[in-house]
Amino acid sequence: MFRDKIPPTSAFQSLVASLDFMDSSLLQVSDLHSVFHVAGGRLRAVDGVSFEIPSRGTLGIVGESGCGKTVTALSILRLLQPPAEIESGSVLFRARNNAGSKKKGPGESEDRPALDLLKISERRMRRIRGAEISMVFQEPASALNPVLNAGDQIAEAVRAHEKVSRKESWDRAVAMMEAVSIPDAARRAKEYPHQLSGGLRQRVMIAMALVCRPQLLIADEPTTALDVTVQAQILELLQSMCGQYDLSMLFISHDLGVIAAVADEVAVMYCGKIVEHAPVEELFANPRHPYTQGLLRSLPTVTLGEMPTRKLEAIPGSVPNLMNLSVGCKFEPRCAVRLEECKTFDPPLYPLGKNHSTRCVLCRPT
Amino acid sequence: MPQATPLLQVENLIKHFPADSTRWFAKSKEFVHAVDGISFSIPAGEVFGLVGESGCGKSTAARLILRLIEPTSGKIQFDGMDWLALGEKELRRQRRVMQIIFQDPYSSLNPRMRIGAALAEPFEVHKVCSSRAEVRSRVEELLQMVGLDPQAFGRYPHEFSGGQRQRIAIARAIALKPKFVVADEPVSSLDVSVQAQIINLLADLREEFHLTYLFISHSLPVVSHLCDRIAVMYLGKIVEMGSRDEIFRNSGHPYTRVLLSAVLPPDPKPKSSRIVLRGEIPSAVKIPSGCRFHPRCPIADAHCAEAEPPVETLSATHWSACFKVNEAAQLTAK
Ligand SMILES: Nc1ncnc2c1ncn2[C@@H]1O[C@H](COP(=O)(O)OP(=O)(O)OP(=O)(O)O)[C@@H](O)[C@H]1O
Ligand SMILES: Nc1ncnc2c1ncn2[C@@H]1O[C@H](COP(=O)(O)OP(=O)(O)O)[C@@H](O)[C@H]1O
Ligand code: SF4
Ligand code: SF4
Ligand SMILES: [Mg+2]
Ligand SMILES: [Mg+2]
């Protein structure tokens, strides 16, 4: 959808947003702006990002280091710490009527009101975090508490949201560890994070994220720190969990191959903005933004039985510093097909039909 | 394949570290088998790839070859010399012909040194220039060669992006026109859009200076573009070696095939063509019996746990250490 036209008054914005918040979506981010207050001004880490996450679907966000993926995720959960801050925008979320209840029946979603997560109280937000929306981080070692054993970490997540006994929460933890295919779960539950391998730690993180049956899982580069053979296991696990638990997922990665494997829809980010958004097949078959095209061409890829090529097509230059961006298209300094006007004109997302949109003047409707 | 005398020849190289030296109560007889008997040779002008998952011993092999650490046992011949027999002084003199590029361009440059000075250092240390003006022009030439602004002289490392810093590190490595360059994961910490630039730069420099590379990476797609021959390492040992075509089209080792099938192409269609392996790479302290890959191997049988597989020759340039090479060569995703 085409949201750059929405005037920037927030009351009007959330009204408009809730009007077109489609029944099929679980979460809708509109015109999100998040900044870092740094020496020399404001660094616009997330600069007007809008997207929807379909219920029981996966939206992939792909982009290079520093383009604002993690800040987007943390903004949704209101976990940004100073000097970072959400400046404006809305995050509409279709919360369950009462947190912790059973799975929703078919057709129930239409009745649930959409909350603007950026407006609710911190107390209410805490009931949503971990119970309705959970997050899995890139580096499981730093996201887990080093002095709690695996079982206690997960049990604590249960008790944070539900009134259950220690015994019951421990049993739930072990059951969840079994569900994420941790071999010998009852024994592993008593082990501390440093005793677990990278892959097992990530499984514990996933168990902890899913134990309260959230509706949405935000996975921020969940496999980047892992070896490829372990990455394959974790991706398989996440996909089977999505099916089993009716999960929606926001999956963040810098790896186009991973995104192709897990996402239903893809948003490509560059310098704090979404530059292209499309269903996954469409994006890979028919990329329209010069940055997306360049990324795809520059990837070293080869699989079993294929002949590798010799020379790669690289994108010249590098990702610019967000503190001194030009006024025009942020990709202009590196773009091979730039026009004169791209220096001064920053294009909006132009719709291309079939849910496909791209931020490039070459795709401007005539 | 050039069959001249190899520039580098490594024979049964072994490095065992004492295990867990931080824990005084640890059993003192335990060792990390970081590199557990590897042999290969690299003819002049070749790019040789060493691939494997983290912890399999790639960086340890690199540090041994550069003599940043000393091996437990084994032989290294370099440029006709008994490399391990060189004394401190002779080694320092020879260092200029063998250079390394590290994974992390941040830590390999001194943050307080302007890049002009960092790049001038090799010329000054080895006294190859007769004047400061000559040093300066050599540095400018270097900057140009690696695609940086020659006027970038007076800037500090933090003023450069990751890719640019890696270019500076490469410039430093090639400053004295070495014969041999070890590149240890040179693109792993870089942005996707910049990785290709650095791979292409390494390819261009190879042409221009007839360089020989040992190119280390955990990623088969990355090595595929540059390497002539590839060795796949698992838990301290090379399990398969072959030309690039042989490894990609005709691999005869289950582990290589698993690594290849774990590569996710940027294409959403073939979603189910992965061989998903169980478990993770075991600790290098307790090496599994028999074939060290057997606990994870999708086609292992009882025999694999008992005896170490011999090297099966598949062609003049291709071998695999597996009892079941024929079955391995058929292994594809279910
Ligand atoms: N503590 C901070 N202070 C100032 N700027 C920051 C800080 N943390 C992040 N940033 C900036 O915010 C921008 C977005 O960062 P973010 O962490 O969202 O990137 P990302 O897309 O998740 O990257 P990566 O792939 O490296 O994880 C970057 O330009 C980064 O430099
Ligand atoms: N100085 C050291 N002391 C003890 N163990 C080490 C040391 N250096 C490396 N190792 C161990 O040796 C193995 C191989 O490490 P390394 O060569 O760095 O692997 P790679 O580069 O393939 O990721 C690992 O198990 C690692 O933990
Ligand atoms: S708007 Fe111009 S500079 Fe930006 S991507 Fe399109 S053509 Fe390139
Ligand atoms: S020797 Fe046996 S365990 Fe080892 S790779 Fe071959 S089949 Fe697998
Ligand atoms: Mg991030
Ligand atoms: Mg290493």
Side-chain angles (χ1 to χ4, degrees), chain A residues 289-291 329 331-332 335 337-339 342 347 359-362:
Chain A
H289 197 280
Y291 176 61
C329 170
F331 189 58
E332 188 270 338
C335 182
V337 293
R338 63 180 164 249
L339 306 176
C342 304
R359 196 182 287 282
C360 172
V361 293
L362 301 178

Side-chain angles (χ1 to χ4, degrees), chain A residues 22-281:
Chain A
M22 297 198 306
D23 290 344
S24 58
S25 348
L26 177 65
L27 180 116
Q28 183 196 55
V29 172
S30 304
D31 205 24
L32 180 69
H33 290 262
S34 296
V35 299
F36 282 91
H37 297 279
V38 293
R42 272 178 297 185
L43 184 150
R44 309 203 153 275
V46 175
D47 196 14
V49 160
S50 305
F51 56 79
E52 287 176 24
I53 299 175
S55 50
R56 285 163 224 172
T58 297
L59 173 72
I61 297 186
V62 66
E64 294 176 89
S65 185
C67 71
K69 307 181 295 294
T70 299
V71 174
T72 301
L74 295 177
S75 302
I76 292 172
L77 281 168
R78 282 178 37 188
L79 286 173
L80 281 183
Q81 303 287 336
E85 180 190 35
I86 299 171
E87 211 176 49
S88 62
S90 69
V91 178
L92 298 187
F93 176 64
R94 224 180 280 282
R96 290 190 187 110
N97 283 328
N98 46 29
S101 68
K102 296 282 164 318
K103 273 197 273 180
K104 57 187 177 286
E108 216 179 294
S109 67
E110 284 75 18
D111 305 320
R112 284 179 296 144
L115 290 177
D116 186 344
L117 298 184
L118 303 188
K119 295 215 175 73
I120 61 176
S121 68
E122 175 58 28
R123 205 168 138 257
R124 182 115 197 239
M125 190 66 212
R126 265 202 300 270
R127 290 214 308 265
I128 288 185
R129 238 182 254 135
E132 299 222 36
I133 307 178
S134 316
M135 184 153 169
V136 172
F137 298 88
Q138 168 168 350
E139 199 15 89
S142 56
L144 290 169
N145 183 342
V147 300
L148 275 187
N149 68 35
D152 279 333
Q153 322 233 358
I154 303 168
E156 213 166 65
V158 177
R159 290 199 307 276
H161 294 286
E162 297 172 40
K163 286 200 172 59
V164 294
S165 68
R166 282 190 165 269
K167 170 83 176 70
E168 190 184 341
S169 65
W170 177 266
D171 293 344
R172 288 259 301 272
V174 174
M176 196 65 219
M177 285 175 72
E178 270 161 11
V180 298
S181 315
I182 294 178
D184 204 1
R187 183 175 61 83
R188 290 289 190 180
K190 298 194 187 108
E191 293 189 345
Y192 290 84
H194 74 268
Q195 292 171 290
L196 303 169
S197 65
L200 282 180
R201 269 191 291 229
Q202 200 53 289
R203 283 181 198 268
V204 169
M205 273 297 302
I206 293 168
M208 200 159 99
L210 300 186
V211 70
C212 292
R213 300 296 178 93
Q215 304 188 71
L216 174 65
L217 178 68
I218 301 179
D220 186 6
E221 309 247 12
T223 61
T224 303
L226 305 174
D227 279 323
V228 280
T229 60
V230 182
Q231 163 167 291
Q233 298 168 1
I234 297 294
L235 292 180
E236 197 175 69
L237 172 69
L238 282 173
Q239 280 173 308
S240 94
M241 288 287 143
C242 279
Q244 234 172 302
Y245 292 163
D246 286 335
L247 262 184
S248 301
M249 193 153 59
L250 175 61
F251 193 103
I252 294 173
S253 178
H254 68 278
D255 185 331
L256 281 161
V258 171
I259 290 289
V262 300
D264 300 310
E265 276 186 35
V266 186
V268 181
M269 273 185 89
Y270 190 74
C271 291
K273 294 181 189 233
I274 292 177
V275 297
E276 183 153 18
H277 187 139
V280 67
E281 284 83 12

